Amino acid sequence: MIALPESLSGRLVTPGDRRYATLRSTYTTRHSPAEVLLPQTARQVVDAVRYARERGLAVAVRSGGHGLAGTSFNDGGLVIDLSALNRVDVLDERSRLVRVEAGARWAVVAKTLAPYGLAISSGDHGNVGVGGLATGGGVGWLVRRFGLTIDRVRAVEVVLADGTLIRADAEHEPELFWVVRGAGAGVGVVVAFEIEAEEIRNVGLAQLAVEATPDGAPVRQWAEHLAQAPRELSSAAVLFPYGRSIVMQITAVVAAESMRRARPLIEPLLAIGRLLEQRTDLVPYPALVPTSHLHANVGQQPSLTTNSLLTMDDTAARAIMRAAAGPERTLVQLRSVGGAVNDVAPTATAYPHRHQDTLAVGSVFPPLDGPALDAAWRGVAARSDGAYVNFESRPDRAAFDRIYPGETGRRVAELWQRYDPDAVFRPALLDARRDRTGDRRR
């Protein structure tokens, strides 16, 4: 029997422990790990990785538990839960450099940075953990103005599969630094990030609902306005059934300190369809990812999700409407990208998708399953030329090829093999790694 390292004494949770019920699952999936470890320091993460390997246990790593694929948990293995690594420190106010540990959640990050007048564009929900989002991409409320979350990462601290703790940046371990920004889940446990925050206190916020017509005109007009608007404007939309109609609920965020600047960017959205309701206000940035979002993730919302990155046109807009209005009643979410995202070279990070303007996300709920989602999404997928790892429930070989196409995929697979030769992390993508590298060890 392998003994638990002394440093992790009291940090092990097993079935029967009263803490187990709130630590066993993700937001969308329910699991039964044999053990959950709750390290508080990077050194304890090192000990946790070595302990898991000595025990021969499958390893999953959880930062917030919002991951749609459920890969931050397993059944019968060991989960390294990073929720106790949650410090947020402003290292240098002048350069706006912030150190954020991977177990922090974005609501806490926003609240901590607000007194400094700083913010990080970081997804759209305060309960999401830093680690999963900041290794996959990060499509936040300020995405068109400031880019993806990974575009602002300046250094990382990573525990590799052999238990080595490494700090990587553009000059030190540049290959590790490259792959962590977009495909980090396959190389190790990222325990902390140094991120260049942005100086912003308030944002213009508009919430409106319009009737979405079958021809997709409001969807296309929404994307067209975003593509032409100043980068201060970012937006997300949700399409959902309303009687016999489909409603497009739009949230628009303007990185501006006054409504005088925000209103002209928002007003064209009021004309893209029959307006059902609207509300406009100036709010502090933390209101977008509030602490009221914080909750335990216990598998309360089972679903299957896929996504497509695309450049919106009439055909894509009609396909999106068919997905939303079809018999599967797929929940369709849209997020603006483009702007600052597309300033970054496709080869600069492991996120190569630097020309599209829209991220379209489709979800189905029980009893509907994968074939139903595929049927509903077929028309959208035909217009897609990329995908985003953080909105994919089935991280198989086909998903890998869409998320990491061409040379990016070859480089990702090579670096996963280099830094994690025994495939300790991200076992769901193991088949993709094997196919690309020829490795067949386990």
mmCIF file of all heavy atoms in Angstrom, residues 266-295:
data_model
loop_
_atom_site.group_PDB
_atom_site.id
_atom_site.type_symbol
_atom_site.label_atom_id
_atom_site.label_comp_id
_atom_site.label_asym_id
_atom_site.label_seq_id
_atom_site.Cartn_x
_atom_site.Cartn_y
_atom_site.Cartn_z
ATOM 1 N N ILE A 266 -24.525 50.218 -29.090
ATOM 2 C CA ILE A 266 -25.603 49.285 -28.765
ATOM 3 C C ILE A 266 -26.840 49.513 -29.629
ATOM 4 O O ILE A 266 -27.526 48.562 -30.031
ATOM 5 C CB ILE A 266 -25.970 49.410 -27.267
ATOM 6 C CG1 ILE A 266 -24.809 48.915 -26.396
ATOM 7 C CG2 ILE A 266 -27.246 48.654 -26.944
ATOM 8 C CD1 ILE A 266 -24.958 49.256 -24.929
ATOM 9 N N GLU A 267 -27.145 50.774 -29.950
ATOM 10 C CA GLU A 267 -28.410 51.115 -30.593
ATOM 11 C C GLU A 267 -28.694 50.353 -31.889
ATOM 12 O O GLU A 267 -29.846 49.963 -32.141
ATOM 13 C CB GLU A 267 -28.480 52.624 -30.822
ATOM 14 C CG GLU A 267 -28.771 53.385 -29.534
ATOM 15 C CD GLU A 267 -28.737 54.887 -29.730
ATOM 16 O OE1 GLU A 267 -28.346 55.332 -30.840
ATOM 17 O OE2 GLU A 267 -29.088 55.607 -28.780
ATOM 18 N N PRO A 268 -27.708 50.093 -32.770
ATOM 19 C CA PRO A 268 -28.039 49.333 -33.990
ATOM 20 C C PRO A 268 -28.588 47.942 -33.714
ATOM 21 O O PRO A 268 -29.321 47.380 -34.549
ATOM 22 C CB PRO A 268 -26.697 49.262 -34.724
ATOM 23 C CG PRO A 268 -25.962 50.477 -34.266
ATOM 24 C CD PRO A 268 -26.330 50.615 -32.823
ATOM 25 N N LEU A 269 -28.277 47.363 -32.561
ATOM 26 C CA LEU A 269 -28.803 46.039 -32.231
ATOM 27 C C LEU A 269 -30.306 46.076 -31.987
ATOM 28 O O LEU A 269 -30.989 45.049 -32.117
ATOM 29 C CB LEU A 269 -28.087 45.478 -30.995
ATOM 30 C CG LEU A 269 -26.596 45.170 -31.159
ATOM 31 C CD1 LEU A 269 -25.978 44.797 -29.814
ATOM 32 C CD2 LEU A 269 -26.380 44.046 -32.165
ATOM 33 N N LEU A 270 -30.838 47.244 -31.639
ATOM 34 C CA LEU A 270 -32.274 47.363 -31.371
ATOM 35 C C LEU A 270 -33.105 47.250 -32.642
ATOM 36 O O LEU A 270 -34.325 47.078 -32.578
ATOM 37 C CB LEU A 270 -32.574 48.698 -30.688
ATOM 38 C CG LEU A 270 -31.798 49.004 -29.401
ATOM 39 C CD1 LEU A 270 -32.179 50.376 -28.859
ATOM 40 C CD2 LEU A 270 -32.050 47.924 -28.352
ATOM 41 N N ALA A 271 -32.429 47.334 -33.777
ATOM 42 C CA ALA A 271 -33.154 47.356 -35.052
ATOM 43 C C ALA A 271 -33.007 46.075 -35.861
ATOM 44 O O ALA A 271 -33.435 46.029 -37.024
ATOM 45 C CB ALA A 271 -32.673 48.547 -35.884
ATOM 46 N N ILE A 272 -32.428 45.024 -35.273
ATOM 47 C CA ILE A 272 -32.174 43.830 -36.085
ATOM 48 C C ILE A 272 -33.359 42.877 -36.149
ATOM 49 O O ILE A 272 -33.327 41.891 -36.888
ATOM 50 C CB ILE A 272 -30.932 43.062 -35.585
ATOM 51 C CG1 ILE A 272 -31.185 42.472 -34.188
ATOM 52 C CG2 ILE A 272 -29.711 43.967 -35.568
ATOM 53 C CD1 ILE A 272 -30.055 41.570 -33.716
ATOM 54 N N GLY A 273 -34.417 43.142 -35.402
ATOM 55 C CA GLY A 273 -35.601 42.300 -35.419
ATOM 56 C C GLY A 273 -36.685 42.955 -34.602
ATOM 57 O O GLY A 273 -36.480 44.033 -34.027
ATOM 58 N N ARG A 274 -37.846 42.319 -34.530
ATOM 59 C CA ARG A 274 -38.942 42.886 -33.728
ATOM 60 C C ARG A 274 -38.526 42.869 -32.262
ATOM 61 O O ARG A 274 -38.320 41.806 -31.679
ATOM 62 C CB ARG A 274 -40.225 42.093 -33.933
ATOM 63 C CG ARG A 274 -41.444 42.730 -33.232
ATOM 64 C CD ARG A 274 -42.730 42.110 -33.703
ATOM 65 N NE ARG A 274 -42.929 40.772 -33.179
ATOM 66 C CZ ARG A 274 -43.524 40.484 -32.010
ATOM 67 N NH1 ARG A 274 -43.970 41.467 -31.242
ATOM 68 N NH2 ARG A 274 -43.673 39.229 -31.631
ATOM 69 N N LEU A 275 -38.386 44.071 -31.691
ATOM 70 C CA LEU A 275 -37.879 44.201 -30.335
ATOM 71 C C LEU A 275 -38.949 43.806 -29.328
ATOM 72 O O LEU A 275 -40.073 44.339 -29.353
ATOM 73 C CB LEU A 275 -37.414 45.638 -30.088
ATOM 74 C CG LEU A 275 -36.729 45.932 -28.758
ATOM 75 C CD1 LEU A 275 -35.415 45.154 -28.647
ATOM 76 C CD2 LEU A 275 -36.467 47.428 -28.615
ATOM 77 N N LEU A 276 -38.619 42.905 -28.438
ATOM 78 C CA LEU A 276 -39.560 42.435 -27.423
ATOM 79 C C LEU A 276 -39.313 43.090 -26.073
ATOM 80 O O LEU A 276 -40.247 43.352 -25.317
ATOM 81 C CB LEU A 276 -39.468 40.909 -27.291
ATOM 82 C CG LEU A 276 -39.691 40.115 -28.578
ATOM 83 C CD1 LEU A 276 -39.464 38.631 -28.345
ATOM 84 C CD2 LEU A 276 -41.100 40.367 -29.119
ATOM 85 N N GLU A 277 -38.056 43.324 -25.747
ATOM 86 C CA GLU A 277 -37.728 44.010 -24.488
ATOM 87 C C GLU A 277 -36.293 44.487 -24.555
ATOM 88 O O GLU A 277 -35.478 43.993 -25.352
ATOM 89 C CB GLU A 277 -37.917 43.093 -23.279
ATOM 90 C CG GLU A 277 -37.034 41.854 -23.286
ATOM 91 C CD GLU A 277 -37.251 40.986 -22.048
ATOM 92 O OE1 GLU A 277 -38.374 40.458 -21.898
ATOM 93 O OE2 GLU A 277 -36.297 40.852 -21.270
ATOM 94 N N GLN A 278 -35.952 45.463 -23.690
ATOM 95 C CA GLN A 278 -34.583 45.952 -23.649
ATOM 96 C C GLN A 278 -34.304 46.590 -22.295
ATOM 97 O O GLN A 278 -35.203 47.054 -21.595
ATOM 98 C CB GLN A 278 -34.344 46.992 -24.741
ATOM 99 C CG GLN A 278 -35.171 48.269 -24.574
ATOM 100 C CD GLN A 278 -34.605 49.429 -25.351
ATOM 101 O OE1 GLN A 278 -33.440 49.746 -25.224
ATOM 102 N NE2 GLN A 278 -35.446 50.063 -26.174
ATOM 103 N N ARG A 279 -33.015 46.589 -21.954
ATOM 104 C CA ARG A 279 -32.553 47.258 -20.744
ATOM 105 C C ARG A 279 -31.099 47.626 -20.954
ATOM 106 O O ARG A 279 -30.309 46.802 -21.420
ATOM 107 C CB ARG A 279 -32.698 46.351 -19.521
ATOM 108 C CG ARG A 279 -32.187 46.980 -18.223
ATOM 109 C CD ARG A 279 -32.323 46.018 -17.070
ATOM 110 N NE ARG A 279 -31.798 46.600 -15.846
ATOM 111 C CZ ARG A 279 -31.732 45.961 -14.667
ATOM 112 N NH1 ARG A 279 -32.166 44.713 -14.580
ATOM 113 N NH2 ARG A 279 -31.232 46.555 -13.613
ATOM 114 N N THR A 280 -30.731 48.845 -20.620
ATOM 115 C CA THR A 280 -29.372 49.325 -20.808
ATOM 116 C C THR A 280 -28.911 50.014 -19.532
ATOM 117 O O THR A 280 -29.680 50.754 -18.911
ATOM 118 C CB THR A 280 -29.293 50.310 -21.993
ATOM 119 O OG1 THR A 280 -29.832 49.685 -23.154
ATOM 120 C CG2 THR A 280 -27.860 50.714 -22.267
ATOM 121 N N ASP A 281 -27.645 49.774 -19.162
ATOM 122 C CA ASP A 281 -27.148 50.350 -17.922
ATOM 123 C C ASP A 281 -25.631 50.416 -17.965
ATOM 124 O O ASP A 281 -24.988 49.783 -18.826
ATOM 125 C CB ASP A 281 -27.599 49.501 -16.733
ATOM 126 C CG ASP A 281 -27.654 50.276 -15.423
ATOM 127 O OD1 ASP A 281 -27.224 51.457 -15.417
ATOM 128 O OD2 ASP A 281 -28.128 49.717 -14.431
ATOM 129 N N LEU A 282 -25.050 51.162 -17.040
ATOM 130 C CA LEU A 282 -23.610 51.186 -16.822
ATOM 131 C C LEU A 282 -23.349 50.455 -15.517
ATOM 132 O O LEU A 282 -23.928 50.806 -14.480
ATOM 133 C CB LEU A 282 -23.095 52.621 -16.738
ATOM 134 C CG LEU A 282 -21.577 52.804 -16.726
ATOM 135 C CD1 LEU A 282 -20.997 52.489 -18.096
ATOM 136 C CD2 LEU A 282 -21.203 54.230 -16.311
ATOM 137 N N VAL A 283 -22.502 49.419 -15.566
ATOM 138 C CA VAL A 283 -22.294 48.585 -14.376
ATOM 139 C C VAL A 283 -20.805 48.358 -14.152
ATOM 140 O O VAL A 283 -20.005 48.416 -15.092
ATOM 141 C CB VAL A 283 -23.007 47.220 -14.525
ATOM 142 C CG1 VAL A 283 -24.497 47.404 -14.736
ATOM 143 C CG2 VAL A 283 -22.407 46.408 -15.659
ATOM 144 N N PRO A 284 -20.404 48.065 -12.907
ATOM 145 C CA PRO A 284 -19.012 47.660 -12.670
ATOM 146 C C PRO A 284 -18.740 46.325 -13.358
ATOM 147 O O PRO A 284 -19.629 45.468 -13.444
ATOM 148 C CB PRO A 284 -18.943 47.522 -11.136
ATOM 149 C CG PRO A 284 -20.148 48.211 -10.614
ATOM 150 C CD PRO A 284 -21.199 48.121 -11.665
ATOM 151 N N TYR A 285 -17.521 46.134 -13.832
ATOM 152 C CA TYR A 285 -17.214 44.893 -14.534
ATOM 153 C C TYR A 285 -17.580 43.642 -13.730
ATOM 154 O O TYR A 285 -18.120 42.683 -14.304
ATOM 155 C CB TYR A 285 -15.728 44.842 -14.931
ATOM 156 C CG TYR A 285 -15.371 43.523 -15.568
ATOM 157 C CD1 TYR A 285 -15.714 43.261 -16.892
ATOM 158 C CD2 TYR A 285 -14.761 42.503 -14.839
ATOM 159 C CE1 TYR A 285 -15.436 42.042 -17.474
ATOM 160 C CE2 TYR A 285 -14.477 41.275 -15.415
ATOM 161 C CZ TYR A 285 -14.825 41.051 -16.727
ATOM 162 O OH TYR A 285 -14.573 39.834 -17.294
ATOM 163 N N PRO A 286 -17.340 43.568 -12.404
ATOM 164 C CA PRO A 286 -17.695 42.340 -11.677
ATOM 165 C C PRO A 286 -19.168 41.964 -11.752
ATOM 166 O O PRO A 286 -19.518 40.808 -11.476
ATOM 167 C CB PRO A 286 -17.279 42.658 -10.229
ATOM 168 C CG PRO A 286 -16.176 43.665 -10.372
ATOM 169 C CD PRO A 286 -16.601 44.503 -11.541
ATOM 170 N N ALA A 287 -20.039 42.901 -12.137
ATOM 171 C CA ALA A 287 -21.458 42.557 -12.271
ATOM 172 C C ALA A 287 -21.694 41.555 -13.394
ATOM 173 O O ALA A 287 -22.725 40.874 -13.417
ATOM 174 C CB ALA A 287 -22.277 43.826 -12.532
ATOM 175 N N LEU A 288 -20.746 41.449 -14.318
ATOM 176 C CA LEU A 288 -20.888 40.485 -15.416
ATOM 177 C C LEU A 288 -20.577 39.063 -14.980
ATOM 178 O O LEU A 288 -21.059 38.100 -15.575
ATOM 179 C CB LEU A 288 -19.956 40.873 -16.573
ATOM 180 C CG LEU A 288 -20.158 42.265 -17.176
ATOM 181 C CD1 LEU A 288 -19.114 42.510 -18.255
ATOM 182 C CD2 LEU A 288 -21.562 42.415 -17.740
ATOM 183 N N VAL A 289 -19.733 38.917 -13.974
ATOM 184 C CA VAL A 289 -19.358 37.592 -13.445
ATOM 185 C C VAL A 289 -19.466 37.654 -11.921
ATOM 186 O O VAL A 289 -18.482 37.531 -11.201
ATOM 187 C CB VAL A 289 -17.942 37.173 -13.896
ATOM 188 C CG1 VAL A 289 -17.939 36.737 -15.341
ATOM 189 C CG2 VAL A 289 -16.934 38.305 -13.697
ATOM 190 N N PRO A 290 -20.668 37.808 -11.399
ATOM 191 C CA PRO A 290 -20.842 38.108 -9.975
ATOM 192 C C PRO A 290 -20.587 36.912 -9.067
ATOM 193 O O PRO A 290 -20.662 35.754 -9.492
ATOM 194 C CB PRO A 290 -22.305 38.549 -9.896
ATOM 195 C CG PRO A 290 -22.972 37.787 -11.005
ATOM 196 C CD PRO A 290 -21.960 37.761 -12.114
ATOM 197 N N THR A 291 -20.323 37.207 -7.815
ATOM 198 C CA THR A 291 -20.127 36.137 -6.826
ATOM 199 C C THR A 291 -21.412 35.362 -6.588
ATOM 200 O O THR A 291 -21.372 34.244 -6.064
ATOM 201 C CB THR A 291 -19.607 36.711 -5.504
ATOM 202 O OG1 THR A 291 -20.476 37.763 -5.065
ATOM 203 C CG2 THR A 291 -18.206 37.274 -5.661
ATOM 204 N N SER A 292 -22.561 35.917 -6.970
ATOM 205 C CA SER A 292 -23.817 35.154 -6.853
ATOM 206 C C SER A 292 -23.829 33.932 -7.765
ATOM 207 O O SER A 292 -24.645 33.027 -7.589
ATOM 208 C CB SER A 292 -25.012 36.057 -7.186
ATOM 209 O OG SER A 292 -24.927 36.544 -8.520
ATOM 210 N N HIS A 293 -22.917 33.884 -8.742
ATOM 211 C CA HIS A 293 -22.797 32.705 -9.613
ATOM 212 C C HIS A 293 -22.183 31.505 -8.891
ATOM 213 O O HIS A 293 -22.291 30.377 -9.366
ATOM 214 C CB HIS A 293 -21.903 33.032 -10.819
ATOM 215 C CG HIS A 293 -22.580 33.845 -11.872
ATOM 216 N ND1 HIS A 293 -21.920 34.343 -12.980
ATOM 217 C CD2 HIS A 293 -23.872 34.263 -12.006
ATOM 218 C CE1 HIS A 293 -22.752 35.021 -13.737
ATOM 219 N NE2 HIS A 293 -23.936 34.993 -13.173
ATOM 220 N N LEU A 294 -21.490 31.740 -7.799
ATOM 221 C CA LEU A 294 -20.726 30.666 -7.154
ATOM 222 C C LEU A 294 -21.666 29.624 -6.554
ATOM 223 O O LEU A 294 -22.569 29.941 -5.781
ATOM 224 C CB LEU A 294 -19.810 31.248 -6.079
ATOM 225 C CG LEU A 294 -18.761 32.241 -6.579
ATOM 226 C CD1 LEU A 294 -17.996 32.849 -5.411
ATOM 227 C CD2 LEU A 294 -17.792 31.561 -7.547
ATOM 228 N N HIS A 295 -21.440 28.381 -6.906
ATOM 229 C CA HIS A 295 -22.229 27.273 -6.378
ATOM 230 C C HIS A 295 -21.437 25.994 -6.551
ATOM 231 O O HIS A 295 -20.467 25.931 -7.312
ATOM 232 C CB HIS A 295 -23.584 27.161 -7.101
ATOM 233 C CG HIS A 295 -23.469 27.009 -8.591
ATOM 234 N ND1 HIS A 295 -23.038 25.847 -9.208
ATOM 235 C CD2 HIS A 295 -23.715 27.882 -9.597
ATOM 236 C CE1 HIS A 295 -23.031 25.998 -10.515
ATOM 237 N NE2 HIS A 295 -23.431 27.227 -10.785
#
